[in-house]
Amino acid sequence: MAGVSLKCGDCGALLKSVQEAQDHAELTSHSNFSESTEAVLNLVCATCGKPCRSKTESDLHTKRTGHTEFADKTAEVTKPISLEVPKAAAMDIDEPAAADASTTSQPEEMVAPEVDKKILDELEAMGFPTARATRALHYSGNASLEAAVNWVVEHENDPDIDEMPMVSINSKVEAPKPSLTPEEMKQKAQELRERARKKKEEEEKKTEREKEKERIRIGKELLEAKRIEEQNERKRLMALRKAEKDEEKRAREKIRQKLEEDKAERRRKLGLPPEDPATVKPSAPVVEEKKSMLPVRPATKQEQMRECLRSLKQSHKDDDAKVKRAFQTLLTYIGNVAKNPSEEKFRKIRLNNQTFQDRVGSLQGGIGFLELCGFEKIEGDEFLFLARDKVDMAVLNSAGSELTSAINNPFFGVL
């Protein structure tokens, strides 16, 4: 049996003529073609007259339009394929089968169909190739730009979508009806609006992801700044602990010297000779001599604070809980001012407040310590007030260090 079509060996597409095979090769670069006895399907929709060249195309048409009736006219147009006339086109399906042999022996000239040039220019401006735009206008009946675009969307998977349609130069071929009814066009417009909405949602999601990335970046920078701040705080605490250890060491040394002196005094009262005359009179003269050699300088504010706290502890040495509570209350006052220097409520203390009197005001040195930090009595000694312009962070930090040392050092104020 003679071949009725050309089959592409690369993709399996069936082509009706050598011209279609040449166009297919130019579009896809496929070059492996062979004759086939399998006819190219020609399924015509009984409702709208749309021709479908494959079962997949007819199923897609049914899905989009709801048309289910197709007439199989494959046998009517199937004829042996000619390999000698590459430019010859397939005869129209309605051409009489008994055409004169003398007229069919000559190849019929085929030309591109006439379409609306204005709409064609608009389609090309939208980015569609000339062949695809011409094909869309031809098969949509030159109805409108929207009809042509809808035809392209509906047939975007057709293998010959970018092949230029050809019609006989001597035949007046009536353009096919538009592939979509008004109802279908409304549905297609709705689909296009839905696509636009989804695209907008995707862009909004993308923008939100970018904002989230920016928030994460800022969060990392804040965490890094917090880490550096904590590192500096650890260094400050280490220096503070070292100072506390030095204070503890000095207190132990004083206690040892005091014990030695008490021991020597007890031996003397018992009439016992000193253990070692060289150690009985140890350091007092030496310390006095060293002190006499040191230059006299006024006590610093930090030393005055330390002495004030020592005085407070020694005045209430029998009630350690009360002393510790006073130190913690003072630390709270100082800490609040350091953290919120602009808040007046932290810089103003009512002296006759019962809680303040119980914790700090009634203890010797409590109010004096606050005055060393910059507080002043105002309004007839009714309030302690620290003016905003007199807030000295260095003084407050020193006060906090002295209070922390006094709270944590068990030997603070022993002597």
Side-chain angles (χ1 to χ4, degrees):
M1 180 177 178
V4 295
S5 66
L6 289 175
K7 186 173 184 179
C8 178
D10 297 317
C11 64
L14 293 176
L15 308 164
K16 294 191 298 184
S17 65
V18 175
Q19 179 64 41
E20 286 191 5
Q22 290 176 342
D23 294 340
H24 182 75
E26 291 178 2
L27 181 65
T28 63
S29 300
H30 297 167
S31 59
N32 183 15
F33 299 94
S34 61
E35 286 189 76
S36 174
T37 58
E38 183 179 356
V40 178
L41 282 179
N42 187 20
L43 302 176
V44 180
C45 178
T47 304
C48 65
K50 180 187 181 307
C52 299
R53 296 182 58 172
S54 66
K55 187 65 170 59
T56 302
E57 187 175 349
S58 65
D59 291 342
L60 183 61
H61 182 70
T62 299
K63 182 177 179 181
R64 290 177 175 173
T65 65
H67 301 166
T68 58
E69 297 293 333
F70 293 88
D72 190 351
K73 296 187 179 181
T74 305
E76 298 179 15
V77 298
T78 301
K79 68 176 185 177
I81 192 168
S82 175
L83 303 178
E84 297 178 358
V85 187
K87 296 296 182 181
M91 300 296 290
D92 189 88
I93 61 174
D94 293 327
E95 186 176 350
D100 187 29
S102 62
T103 59
T104 57
S105 61
Q106 296 296 329
E108 189 173 8
E109 185 177 359
M110 308 295 288
V111 295
E114 293 184 2
V115 296
D116 190 315
K117 297 297 184 182
K118 183 178 179 181
I119 302 178
L120 179 63
D121 293 341
E122 292 180 2
L123 289 172
E124 290 178 345
M126 293 170 66
F128 293 107
T130 303
R132 182 179 298 193
T134 303
R135 197 175 192 87
L137 284 172
H138 175 65
Y139 285 109
S140 64
N142 285 311
S144 64
L145 176 64
E146 184 178 3
V149 172
N150 289 336
W151 189 94
V152 171
V153 173
E154 184 177 353
H155 297 81
E156 59 186 353
N157 295 323
D158 290 358
D160 58 350
I161 185 68
D162 287 320
E163 297 179 9
M164 179 68 73
M166 306 298 290
V167 298
S168 173
I169 193 173
N170 298 322
S171 63
K172 185 177 181 181
V173 180
E174 183 180 355
K177 298 179 181 178
S179 58
L180 297 178
T181 63
E183 292 76 10
E184 293 170 348
M185 292 175 66
K186 290 181 180 179
Q187 182 180 0
K188 184 61 64 177
Q190 180 65 26
E191 292 178 0
L192 292 174
R193 284 193 294 269
E194 185 67 19
R195 290 183 185 178
R197 184 185 64 80
K198 291 182 178 180
K199 183 176 181 181
K200 182 178 179 181
E201 290 179 353
E202 291 177 357
E203 291 177 353
E204 290 176 352
K205 289 180 179 179
K206 182 178 180 181
T207 302
E208 187 62 29
R209 286 195 295 268
E210 293 296 330
K211 290 182 179 178
E212 183 64 22
K213 290 181 180 178
E214 181 67 14
R215 284 194 292 268
I216 292 174
R217 184 187 66 80
I218 294 175
K220 289 182 177 179
E221 291 180 355
L222 291 176
L223 288 176
E224 179 64 17
K226 184 177 180 181
R227 185 190 66 80
I228 295 175
E229 182 181 357
E230 290 176 349
Q231 184 178 6
N232 293 335
E233 180 66 15
R234 284 195 297 270
K235 291 180 179 179
R236 189 186 70 80
L237 291 176
M238 290 176 62
L240 182 61
R241 282 196 291 269
K242 184 177 183 300
E244 291 173 355
K245 288 181 179 179
D246 293 342
E247 177 72 17
E248 182 179 349
K249 184 177 179 181
R250 289 192 296 270
R252 287 178 177 174
E253 180 63 23
K254 289 181 179 180
I255 292 173
R256 188 189 64 78
Q257 293 179 2
K258 183 66 175 176
L259 291 175
E260 290 292 336
E261 293 175 358
D262 291 344
K263 184 178 179 181
E265 181 65 20
R266 285 195 300 272
R267 291 180 64 87
R268 186 184 64 79
K269 289 181 178 180
L270 294 173
L272 298 175
E275 289 183 344
D276 188 355
T279 59
V280 174
K281 307 180 203 179
S283 50
V286 176
V287 172
E288 290 177 0
E289 181 180 355
K290 287 184 178 179
K291 285 184 179 179
S292 64
M293 296 174 61
L294 294 175
V296 178
R297 63 177 178 80
T300 64
K301 182 165 290 190
Q302 186 171 1
E303 290 173 345
Q304 292 175 9
M305 291 178 182
R306 189 180 305 125
E307 185 59 33
C308 187
L309 294 177
R310 281 202 187 100
S311 175
L312 191 152
K313 185 168 184 178
Q314 289 177 358
S315 298
H316 304 84
K317 58 185 177 181
D318 296 331
D319 194 346
D320 290 338
K322 190 173 185 178
V323 171
K324 187 172 183 180
R325 185 177 62 179
F327 288 169
Q328 291 173 341
T329 303
L330 289 170
L331 184 61
T332 301
Y333 284 136
I334 299 304
N336 287 338
V337 175
K339 293 176 183 177
N340 306 279
S342 299
E343 293 288 341
E344 183 177 339
K345 63 180 180 180
F346 295 124
R347 296 184 283 107
K348 192 172 185 180
I349 303 171
R350 185 181 294 274
L351 288 173
N352 59 4
N353 181 277
Q354 190 60 42
T355 303
F356 174 76
Q357 286 294 325
D358 293 342
R359 291 174 172 266
V360 176
S362 62
L363 279 66
Q364 179 182 346
I367 296 177
F369 184 85
L370 291 172
E371 289 176 336
L372 288 173
C373 295
F375 283 86
E376 297 176 346
K377 293 180 180 179
I378 62 172
E379 299 181 16
D381 293 346
E382 184 177 355
F383 291 96
L384 275 176
F385 181 70
L386 176 57
R388 178 64 182 89
D389 57 350
K390 292 185 178 180
V391 175
D392 190 336
M393 298 305 296
V395 173
L396 295 178
N397 289 334
S398 298
S401 299
E402 291 299 327
L403 284 167
T404 303
S405 175
I407 293 171
N408 297 327
N409 186 358
F411 298 100
F412 182 82
V414 173
L415 298 177

